Amino acid sequence: MNVMRPIKSVDDLVRTGLIEDAERLALDEVAARYAIALTPAMARLIDHADPADPIARQFVPDAAELVTTPEERADPIGDHAHSPVEGIVHRYPDRVLLKAVHVCPVYCRFCFRREMVGPQGLGTLEPAALASAFDYIRSHSEIWEVILTGGDPLVLSPRRLGDILRELAAIQHVKIVRFHTRVPVVEPQKIDVELIAALKASGKTVYVALHANHPRELIAEARAACARLVDAGIVMVSQSVLLKGVNDDADVLAELMRAFVEARVKPYYLHHPDLAPGTSHFRLSIEEGQKIVSSLRGRISGLCQPTYILDIPGGHGKAVIGESAVQATAEGCYSISDYRGNEHSYPPAD
């Protein structure tokens, strides 16, 4: 499929053959609630012959999104409860989120901020709100790291990014600036000399956390975009979401983590899906997730191991939920499980 421009509507999905015309009515209702967007790079990866294609599942809307379960909530990780001023989330003492924009180049069907992003969402911070956000960061000397998220901060022009980074450059107690983004994968051509110069405008240590969920996303162009960032001195880490029908398979997950490491992106977080509205068809149980993640031990290099986490609903922060290999015993010792599932005493029995 030769897609030359972004797909942003149900009509576009029908035109490009990603959905059947008979699906239009139900998906019009989905589109009225949640934004739609696929970049050409992602649309070209979809296998039309595969009804369970993992790329399509992430970006093509589904009527299942109209089903909201009782435990789901509009703000599943409690951003609003920790937002002292517009655009800032201050959940942990030494770091804040700066949500300068609520627009993305693609809209993930499982997004935990799906009620906030898109054309109908919160939009881009107005200059006065952005100034207040910088005032807040300046006034809190405990803030060591600023994480630009949203939305996807790399949809902003190099000029606007540079303006934000120069403001942060003047705040002495801020040492780290991190960007959460999908752009190197979904719009790799955007990672050019001007954008990289903007990312480095603060003179701070810069990290880019790349979101990808399936190894097919890391095409040659995406790897080249990552190489441009890393060669410029920008450290890259990964974040992925464990998704039913996308990567809930140890072989797929192992291939994804190896692909990150090959691209010089250090695996960081593997998120358990959040309780966002209309996303129950993506969620597996914590026990299922633990079984998949524990099977990665011994299967792939330590360089490739992500940390399996859950954002506790209500804004209580992240918890590591990978199954523990250590169990205390009645004798004051420990039973340790190896990657094959065999149990061993620690200290070893005589």
Side-chain angles (χ1 to χ4, degrees), residues 18-29:
L18 288 172
I19 65 167
E20 300 294 331
D21 193 59
E23 300 175 83
R24 183 191 297 269
L25 186 61
L27 296 188
D28 278 341
E29 192 175 347

Side-chain angles (χ1 to χ4, degrees), residues 252-286:
V252 171
L253 209 55
E255 186 181 352
L256 173 63
M257 296 304 150
R258 288 192 186 108
F260 280 136
V261 172
E262 290 165 10
R264 293 183 285 171
V265 178
K266 178 68 180 78
Y268 180 43
Y269 277 159
L270 177 65
H271 295 263
H272 191 77
D274 294 308
L275 297 174
T279 64
S280 61
H281 55 297
F282 284 108
R283 286 198 298 277
L284 62 169
S285 70
I286 287 177

Side-chain angles (χ1 to χ4, degrees), residues 173-236:
H173 54 264
V174 172
K175 305 298 183 184
I176 308 293
V177 180
R178 190 196 326 173
F179 294 85
H180 285 186
T181 183
R182 264 193 177 274
V183 165
V185 161
V186 303
E187 262 188 316
Q189 72 281 2
K190 192 173 170 67
I191 307 299
D192 57 16
V193 171
E194 290 75 21
L195 184 68
I196 290 170
L199 295 184
K200 299 187 71 175
S202 67
K204 312 289 186 181
T205 299
V206 178
Y207 280 73
V208 167
L210 174 65
H211 177 184
N213 299 310
H214 194 276
R216 276 173 42 205
E217 296 175 57
L218 290 162
I219 59 175
E221 292 83 355
R223 294 185 187 222
C226 293
R228 290 193 289 275
L229 289 163
V230 175
D231 288 344
I234 293 171
V235 183
M236 294 192 71

